[in-house]
Amino acid sequence: MSEEKEPLNFIEQIIEEDLKETHKKEDLCFRFPPEPNGYLHIGHASSICLNFGLGLTYDAPVNLRFDDTNPAKEEQRFVDAIKRDVAWLGYTWENELYASDYFQELYDWAVQLIKDGKAYVDSQTSEAMREQKGTPTEVGSNSPFRDRSVEENLALFEQMKSGEAPEGAHVLRAKIDMASTNMLMRDPVMYRTLHKHHHRTGTDWKIFPMYDWTHGESDYLEQVSHSFCTLEFKPHRELYDWFLDQIHDPKKIRPKQREFARRNLSHTVVSKRKLARLVEDGVVQSWDDPRMPTISGLRRRGYTAASIRNFANGIGVGKRDNLIDVSRLEFSIREDLNKTADRVMAVLNPVKVVITNYPEGETEWLDAENNQGDETAGFRKVPFSREIYIEKEDFREEANKKFFRLKLGKEVRLKNAYIIKAESCIKDENGEVTEIHCTYDPDSRSGSGSEASMRKVKGTLHWVSIKDALEIEVRLYDRLFTVASPDTDKEKDFMEFVNPNSLEVITGYAEPSLKERKVEEKMQFQRLGYFVVDKDTTADKMVFNKTVGLRDSWAKIDQ
Ligand code: ATP
Ligand code: MG
């Protein structure tokens, strides 16, 4: 894949250093570790492109590892969606792995830690434990259960494991240092009990390992050389290393956690938990609603995998969290579709035009270029007849010189067809134009080579023959949130910033060639924007999603 990439980012520099000093090329191994508690979003795309991109750069394996240690939130359907999305983005994982595959090893190591006096069962309430934890400026205090005997700890841990102990009665904690300046080192919880059904292990396990205990050990078991995570895990690194110290065999690769900045996108939220609320509260229809910043939603909106990879690789990895304007993502898809999408004609806000000197009942099939910028894209036929639709905004009875569209007494060219002149119009009782009467110049057909066909007229309009038109449903989208950063307001819940008008459904009229188009096919509706066939399409009705306009209409509004 030859796509935009930063020259050598700081992550690659870390790897290059390690290759010089400690690692051989064949030692390199990476992973992408999603929790299956929702669909992947555009933030994940950064992590996917980083990890799988490194795999390609260094010809190293990349595992897809599901971090599935919380049965209360995780589901098989999310596992399936994540696999589908990573594959669709164009990446191939070496192994499909699950943290839950390591429950036995993790348990055995935990027992060893208890025997070594490095872990203990705490039977206090979580409030009591929180109080003893101290604050960043105040040391914590030891749990009254900290010095339980090894035998007692083993017996209680066994009760936790068998389910004999009620849910929440005990936790297993690492015995580290209640006075550490790093709060995470103050005897962190390694296991809690949950009597819930797990999507893979069923009811076999009643104890579930916490993130910190699971992640580094999973990396170690898979012999991942570099474990890249987002910046909020930086303070966890000390604990990641402490846990590895307890189990590491020096003959093996010791995984290294390094952090990069989270990528946030404006006018949306990139957090599975928050996206889940949008689905649950019915703000959107589903995880793959075209308004969602999920990979599946963007795909349904008409984004290509290449445009998402280009976006992610273009912003690259950074050391500070930042907000990327959504216009950058839109730029990326516009750039891609401009090269690849066929041009077609559809009218979304129609007004009828009658060409009074065109024979009644006649239909002509005219040649139309699929993509003016690309000769290889070929031609199609579009029907022309006496009655056509044009866009309402393309006609004015009177207008100044800068209005290059249709006005009374003036000419325009109909794309791929003839030059017409507006002679008169009919209005309803509200003064709205309902019908425009025009004449056409029969010698002016585009591509006919005649003198009249070469005649320069200022405006060119798209149009559709009424009797041949395909009635289509068109879904137009606006931003899902009214502000750039809906989830950084401390006073207000992000749901308060939901844009109530993010979806508009209209009926449009398209040239009949669109009937042949399949779900996910993308095209440019000339002068209007890029559109994609939605999966809600049926034999009776085609449904299109607007992907993006032809230019950034927000740039002006935001000024
Ligand atoms: P969420 O809050 O959406 O669930 P998460 O970080 O908890 O995000 P995981 O499924 O645990 O989600 O993440 C898998 C990987 O993707 C992790 O390595 C995580 O750091 C990375 N990741 C998640 N969100 C972003 C983001 N916005 N930018 C870059 N990387 C991200
Ligand atoms: Mg998470």
Side-chain angles (χ1 to χ4, degrees):
M1 283 174 237
S2 64
E3 279 150 13
E4 275 180 58
K5 262 199 133 189
E6 306 267 285
L8 199 58
N9 61 49
F10 79 95
I11 294 283
E12 286 166 336
Q13 280 169 15
I14 291 172
I15 296 173
E16 293 293 331
E17 291 279 299
D18 288 345
L19 283 175
K20 273 190 217 132
E21 284 159 25
T22 46
H23 289 63
K24 293 196 288 290
K25 194 166 166 290
E26 52 275 25
D27 294 340
L28 296 181
C29 177
F30 311 103
R31 91 286 172 260
F32 171 64
E35 182 180 0
N37 61 342
Y39 277 49
L40 296 178
H41 52 64
I42 188 71
H44 292 114
S46 284
S47 177
I48 293 169
C49 291
L50 170 68
N51 286 295
F52 284 96
L54 289 170
L56 293 171
T57 305
Y58 292 101
D59 192 21
V62 186
N63 291 336
L64 175 61
R65 182 200 316 139
F66 290 97
D67 185 16
D68 58 344
T69 56
N70 185 355
K73 292 196 290 178
E74 295 151 7
E75 295 178 41
Q76 184 59 41
R77 66 183 173 115
F78 295 137
V79 169
D80 299 338
I82 288 169
K83 283 166 62 180
R84 193 172 57 231
D85 288 346
V86 175
W88 177 75
L89 278 174
Y91 295 110
T92 312
W93 50 86
E94 183 80 8
N95 300 296
E96 175 186 334
L97 301 164
Y98 295 82
S100 57
D101 291 340
Y102 312 135
F103 282 175
Q104 186 62 44
E105 281 99 330
L106 291 168
Y107 168 78
D108 292 342
W109 277 324
V111 167
Q112 192 54 51
L113 255 65
I114 294 174
K115 289 182 181 163
D116 295 344
K118 290 180 172 170
Y120 63 97
V121 173
D122 199 336
S123 311
Q124 301 183 91
T125 61
S126 44
E127 292 77 56
M129 282 189 264
R130 205 174 308 129
E131 274 164 31
Q132 287 158 8
K133 196 121 205 194
T135 66
T137 52
E138 222 179 298
V139 297
S141 50
N142 288 351
S143 161
F145 298 104
R146 201 173 198 258
D147 294 317
R148 270 175 164 156
S149 68
V150 168
E151 290 68 36
E152 194 183 356
N153 279 322
L154 288 173
L156 287 168
F157 193 43
E158 180 53 34
Q159 285 178 25
M160 285 170 68
K161 178 173 182 274
S162 68
E164 195 184 316
E167 195 175 292
H170 314 287
V171 291
L172 185 74
R173 297 176 74 177
K175 198 190 261 189
I176 307 180
D177 179 7
M178 289 305 289
S180 172
T181 50
N182 182 347
M183 298 285 286
L184 292 162
M185 299 298 278
R186 295 184 185 177
D187 291 10
V189 173
M190 293 171 67
Y191 276 98
R192 76 268 203 227
T193 48
L194 286 169
H195 296 181
K196 294 215 165 53
H197 186 270
H198 183 279
H199 65 101
R200 297 190 77 242
T201 61
T203 52
D204 290 355
W205 290 89
K206 312 270 186 304
I207 49 171
F208 290 90
M210 302 299 285
Y211 173 87
D212 289 304
W213 172 236
T214 313
H215 207 87
E217 308 349 83
S218 302
D219 288 339
Y220 177 69
L221 284 165
E222 291 173 19
Q223 288 289 281
V224 165
S225 59
H226 296 79
S227 178
F228 298 111
C229 59
T230 35
L231 274 184
E232 71 274 20
F233 289 100
K234 195 157 193 161
H236 293 246
R237 201 205 279 184
E238 193 180 352
L239 182 54
Y240 180 100
D241 287 335
W242 189 90
F243 279 136
L244 281 180
D245 285 341
Q246 311 312 312
I247 59 154
H248 178 235
D249 169 352
K251 290 193 287 297
K252 290 191 153 185
I253 300 286
R254 186 184 166 111
K256 210 171 184 178
Q257 175 188 306
R258 290 295 179 268
E259 307 81 15
F260 65 97
R262 212 164 244 280
R263 293 304 189 191
N264 298 314
L265 191 66
S266 79
H267 298 90
T268 194
V269 288
V270 280
S271 146
K272 286 188 239 113
R273 189 173 51 79
K274 290 174 189 158
L275 294 172
R277 263 183 77 194
L278 294 172
V279 179
E280 283 153 19
D281 293 6
V283 170
V284 295
Q285 305 269 311
S286 54
W287 282 94
D288 71 348
D289 187 299
R291 290 168 288 179
M292 290 282 266
T294 52
I295 306 295
S296 299
L298 290 166
R299 176 179 178 179
R300 197 169 157 196
R301 178 77 173 257
Y303 277 75
T304 58
S307 71
I308 294 176
R309 291 196 304 265
N310 271 335
F311 167 76
N313 291 333
I315 55 182
V317 284
K319 291 186 181 177
R320 262 188 303 150
D321 287 352
N322 63 354
L323 185 69
I324 310 286
D325 199 278
V326 66
S327 61
R328 190 148 177 185
L329 182 64
E330 291 169 350
F331 173 83
S332 172
I333 186 60
R334 208 180 274 123
E335 193 184 42
D336 190 359
L337 293 179
N338 181 39
K339 285 185 222 130
T340 55
D342 283 350
R343 275 59 172 162
V344 297
M345 292 195 286
V347 174
L348 299 188
N349 185 19
V351 63
K352 183 173 171 179
V353 173
V354 181
I355 300 162
T356 52
N357 60 339
Y358 194 87
E360 260 179 81
E362 193 168 312
T363 305
E364 254 179 290
W365 289 83
L366 305 173
D367 281 332
E369 256 178 304
N370 287 332
N371 188 345
Q372 296 91 315
D374 176 7
E375 281 172 22
T376 62
F379 287 85
R380 68 190 186 286
K381 295 280 187 188
V382 291
F384 184 77
S385 66
R386 183 179 156 94
E387 295 185 346
I388 62 171
Y389 284 136
I390 63 167
E391 301 287 346
K392 259 191 194 132
E393 339 27 310
D394 283 341
F395 173 73
R396 290 205 199 140
E397 287 180 80
E398 286 172 45
N400 67 22
K401 285 205 177 71
K402 287 197 186 120
F403 186 77
F404 293 134
R405 294 174 260 172
L406 190 61
K407 52 189 165 186
L408 289 180
K410 297 287 179 202
E411 289 186 325
V412 289
R413 172 166 291 284
L414 294 174
K415 182 86 196 156
N416 304 310
Y418 297 96
I419 294 173
I420 58 168
K421 182 174 170 189
E423 308 286 357
S424 63
C425 64
I426 300 174
K427 289 188 269 190
D428 65 12
E429 62 277 14
N430 302 319
E432 215 179 307
V433 175
T434 54
E435 203 170 294
I436 306 159
H437 288 183
C438 295
T439 50
Y440 88 118
D441 175 350
D443 292 329
S444 64
R445 184 163 55 80
S446 300
S448 67
S450 71
E451 211 165 295
S453 74
M454 316 278 195
R455 194 145 61 79
K456 285 261 176 295
V457 286
K458 277 264 160 61
T460 301
L461 306 185
H462 62 279
W463 53 274
V464 169
S465 160
I466 295 179
K467 68 180 160 72
D468 304 286
L470 186 65
E471 202 174 295
I472 57 174
E473 177 176 319
V474 181
R475 298 176 182 171
L476 306 171
Y477 302 103
D478 197 350
R479 293 180 176 172
L480 197 44
F481 291 92
T482 53
V483 294
S485 200
D487 52 356
T488 50
D489 191 312
K490 294 217 165 49
E491 319 268 279
K492 289 188 182 165
D493 183 50
F494 73 98
M495 294 291 271
E496 290 183 40
F497 299 105
V498 163
N499 174 5
N501 304 313
S502 58
L503 169 66
E504 187 190 350
V505 182
I506 60 169
T507 298
Y509 298 88
E511 58 171 85
S513 74
L514 264 63
K515 221 179 293 176
E516 310 302 320
R517 302 289 179 157
K518 302 277 179 299
V519 174
E520 280 196 19
E521 276 193 52
K522 299 150 187 61
M523 60 219 81
Q524 185 193 94
F525 288 1
Q526 281 178 315
R527 300 180 61 231
L528 297 177
Y530 294 100
F531 292 78
V532 63
V533 182
D534 189 75
K535 67 177 184 185
D536 287 346
T537 289
T538 61
D540 301 327
K541 190 181 64 181
M542 291 190 81
V543 179
F544 287 83
N545 295 318
K546 182 168 180 180
T547 308
V548 70
L550 293 181
R551 55 190 72 81
D552 187 1
S553 56
W554 279 78
K556 276 182 263 137
I557 297 164
D558 284 346
Q559 272 169 16

